[in-house]
């Protein structure tokens, strides 16, 4: 590979999301035998505002790109210029992902062999902790290159590359580059290029089979790592092997963070009904125990009635009546409650459990009814389903890694969707069906609310 022309590439962009943010500057240097023989360098009009923090970092302002060509305008020339030569980039997934998406929007399908100098550095110097470009340039005393502009960074990579060729045997570098080319065992029907764009960000992903059938829905705080783990483990799991064999396509959606990923995953699993998901699949008619200390007996209510309120407490979520009854029997035995007063057995007077010493005797006056109700309330408390503590729908604002915030709209434990702004137009696009208690949304939100995460901002919608 080292004898072939190499293209050292760097891009400046409006952000870090390869599918949504846009390119503001391109620098590509064609290098043969360590010498730059051609260059393609230009500012690019992203057709959107450049965030202030990005302007500060790169020095590229809205005014600088206003009269520059859009990527669509230069796409054909740049596509022809790149040809089939391998790309060299630092953290190559970032630059290659942006480039592929930009070409795709322009109607061009670009695929290239890619060398990542970040990965190469980790192999060449595994004892070092830092492998970002600034750290590498400082470590190798290559400090005379302007940083955070595309051509400066591309030339800095080239200088670093030449230093590595001086310090390491060519055969060793070739061996490490061969290792980069050997990817995980990917599904035979899946285009490897689809994996190049996977971000190291939170989100939800979908594996699809032939004819678009939904095979599996998953979530992660690191989409790339999680998706690739399916393929690394295919030799250890029959389930992963079947998934690999059946997968023809991959789609995903980034989220602000873990909360958004969990809510969206639960929603997609219920609506898409993926074949390989066992967890969070659409549940049947769940049942719960309804009881207050004033009630004579606990009674079972099904999913149509599962909407806990301040005046009507519900305890536990069970797949069927048998499971609910078994849970209540265990609680009664553990706390020496009377199964007769809980409606678990029929009869009057002293119950059989009392004769065995498993009931404190509320059934025959050995314990007051008031004390039995108090102890029942304490025993059931761990199963309590918290009622919705707000009068209507709420927006749960989750901070994203780039400083923005995404709002997850929930009404009475029913997830309606997520929006980037709490504007009437954005809210109008959400699910407007009457809210219905959703056990998975309930469990997900309770974990975050109980954790008292300061990154979560809560606002009423009305």
């Amino acid at each position: 590979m080292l004898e072939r022309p190499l293209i050292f590439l760097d891009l400046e962009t409006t952000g870090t999301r390869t599918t949504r943010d846009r390119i503001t500057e391109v620098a590509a240097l064609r290098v043969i035998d360590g010498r730059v023989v051609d260059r393609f360098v230009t500012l690019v009009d992203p057709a959107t505002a450049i965030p202030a923090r990005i302007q500060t970092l790169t020095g590229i302002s809205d005014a600088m790109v206003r009269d520059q060509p859009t990527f669509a305008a230069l796409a054909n020339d740049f596509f022809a210029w790149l040809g089939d030569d391998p790309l060299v980039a630092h953290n190559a997934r970032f630059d290659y992902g942006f480039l592929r998406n930009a070409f795709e929007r322009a109607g061009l399908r670009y695929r290239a062999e890619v060398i990542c100098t970040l990965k190469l550095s980790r192999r060449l110097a595994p004892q070092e902790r830092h492998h970002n470009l600034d750290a590498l340039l400082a470590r190798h005393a290559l400090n005379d290159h302007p940083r955070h502009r595309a051509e400066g960074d591309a030339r800095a990579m080239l200088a670093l590359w030449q230093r590595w060729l001086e310090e390491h045997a060519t055969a060793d570098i070739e061996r490490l580059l061969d290792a980069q080319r050997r990817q995980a065992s990917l599904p035979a029907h899946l285009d490897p290029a689809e994996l190049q764009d996977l971000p190291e960000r939170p989100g939800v992903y979908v594996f699809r089979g032939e004819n678009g059938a939904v095979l599996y829905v998953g979530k992660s705080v690191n989409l790339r790592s999680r998706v690739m783990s399916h393929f690394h483990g295919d030799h250890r799991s029959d389930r992963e092997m079947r998934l690999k064999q059946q997968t023809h396509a991959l789609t995903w959606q980034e989220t602000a963070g873990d909360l958004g990923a969990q809510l969206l995953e639960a929603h997609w699993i219920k609506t898409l009904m993926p074949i390989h998901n066992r967890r969070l699949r659409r549940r049947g008619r769940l049942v719960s125990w309804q009881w207050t200390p004033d009630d004579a007996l606990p009674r079972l209510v099904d999913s149509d009635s599962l909407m806990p309120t301040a005046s009507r407490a519900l305890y536990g979520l069970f797949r069927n009546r048998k499971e609910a009854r078994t849970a209540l029997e265990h609680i009664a035995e553990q706390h020496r409650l009377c199964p007769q007063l809980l409606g678990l057995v029929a009869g009057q007077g002293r119950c059989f459990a009392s004769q065995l010493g498993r009931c404190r005797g509320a059934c025959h006056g050995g314990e007051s009814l008031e004390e039995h109700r108090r102890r029942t309330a304490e025993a059931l408390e761990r199963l309590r389903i918290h009622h919705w503590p707000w009068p209507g729908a709420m927006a749960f604002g989750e901070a994203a890694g780039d400083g923005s915030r995404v709002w997850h709209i929930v009404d009475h434990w029913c997830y309606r969707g997520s929006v980037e702004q709490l504007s009437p137009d954005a809210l109008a696009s959400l699910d407007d069906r009457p809210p219905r208690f959703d056990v998975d949304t309930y469990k997900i939100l309770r974990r975050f609310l109980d954790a008292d995460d300061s990154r979560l901002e809560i606002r009423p919608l009305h």
Side-chain angles (χ1 to χ4, degrees), residues 144-157:
D144 55 346
H145 298 278
R147 294 285 286 109
H148 304 303
R149 288 295 298 270
E151 185 169 12
D153 285 351
R155 291 190 178 276
M157 277 191 295

Side-chain angles (χ1 to χ4, degrees), residues 2 124 164-176:
L2 297 181
L124 290 172
W164 281 337
L165 292 177
E166 294 170 0
E167 295 177 348
H168 301 276
T170 300
D172 291 339
I173 292 181
E174 287 279 16
R175 175 176 54 81
L176 294 176

Side-chain angles (χ1 to χ4, degrees), residues 33-51:
D33 294 330
R35 184 170 57 89
V36 177
V37 298
D38 200 1
R39 58 195 285 276
F40 193 107
V41 179
T42 181
L43 287 166
V44 180
D45 181 359
T48 187
I50 303 174

Side-chain angles (χ1 to χ4, degrees), residues 154-434:
R155 291 190 178 276
M157 277 191 295
L158 175 57
L160 178 65
W161 181 270
Q162 291 168 334
R163 181 61 55 87
W164 281 337
L165 292 177
E166 294 170 0
E167 295 177 348
H168 301 276
T170 300
D172 291 339
I173 292 181
E174 287 279 16
R175 175 176 54 81
L176 294 176
L177 295 181
D178 286 340
Q180 272 197 36
R181 286 194 292 268
R182 290 195 298 271
Q183 300 179 356
S185 179
L186 302 180
H189 304 292
L190 182 65
D191 183 353
E194 291 191 36
L195 299 173
Q196 293 289 343
D197 290 343
L198 277 167
E200 294 178 333
R201 292 173 57 88
V204 180
Y205 59 94
V206 179
F207 289 137
R208 293 182 180 271
E210 194 171 9
N211 300 322
V214 178
L215 302 176
Y216 183 82
V217 173
K219 65 90 184 173
S220 178
V221 295
N222 185 323
L223 280 169
R224 181 174 183 80
S225 175
R226 180 68 186 98
V227 168
M228 296 303 293
S229 73
H230 286 280
F231 309 136
H232 285 299
D234 60 16
H235 62 287
R236 296 188 298 270
S237 166
D238 290 341
R239 177 169 167 270
E240 297 288 12
M241 178 65 79
R242 289 194 301 272
L243 185 62
K244 170 189 164 184
Q245 292 170 341
Q246 296 169 5
T247 296
H248 284 242
L250 166 69
T251 57
W252 68 88
Q253 181 173 318
E254 294 181 30
T255 61
D258 191 29
L259 174 58
Q262 291 191 40
L263 291 172
L264 186 60
E265 179 198 35
H267 176 68
W268 278 5
I269 288 175
K270 288 183 179 65
T271 56
L272 299 177
M273 293 297 289
I275 297 168
H276 289 279
N277 283 90
R278 295 182 179 89
R279 187 175 60 87
L280 290 177
R281 287 286 292 267
R282 186 183 299 276
R283 301 168 188 261
R285 297 174 66 85
L286 293 173
V287 297
S288 179
W289 288 107
Q290 180 181 310
W291 182 80
T292 70
D294 295 331
D295 293 333
L297 299 172
R299 69 184 185 93
L300 282 173
V301 294
D302 64 22
S303 55
D304 291 333
S305 304
L306 290 186
M307 189 68 81
T309 65
S311 61
R312 188 181 67 177
L314 298 178
Y315 299 92
L317 293 164
F318 309 99
R319 288 173 294 182
N320 50 56
R321 301 177 74 87
K322 180 180 179 181
E323 185 180 277
R325 183 182 177 86
T326 299
L328 190 57
E329 287 172 348
H330 287 165
I331 288 174
E333 183 175 352
Q334 181 181 2
H335 295 272
R336 295 178 64 195
L337 298 170
C338 179
Q340 197 167 272
L341 296 181
L342 294 179
L344 294 171
V345 298
Q348 294 181 347
R350 186 172 187 177
C351 69
F352 185 62
S354 176
Q355 298 175 37
L356 298 176
R358 297 175 183 172
C359 162
R360 289 189 181 179
C363 49
H364 61 88
E367 177 185 41
S368 70
L369 293 179
E370 291 75 12
E371 177 64 12
H372 185 269
R373 291 191 185 103
R374 184 192 66 78
R375 293 195 308 110
T376 300
E378 288 182 354
L380 290 174
E381 186 59 32
R382 68 182 181 86
L383 296 179
R384 179 189 287 270
I385 302 172
H386 295 266
H387 74 277
W388 183 249
W390 298 283
M394 301 294 290
F396 294 82
E398 182 177 24
D402 60 2
S404 64
R405 190 174 290 275
V406 173
W407 298 93
H408 310 302
I409 311 304
V410 183
D411 189 359
H412 289 80
W413 306 117
C414 179
Y415 174 59
R416 319 313 293 267
S418 300
V419 294
E420 295 186 358
Q421 295 180 339
L422 295 178
S423 65
D425 288 343
L427 295 174
S429 67
L430 300 179
D431 184 357
D432 60 354
R433 290 175 295 179

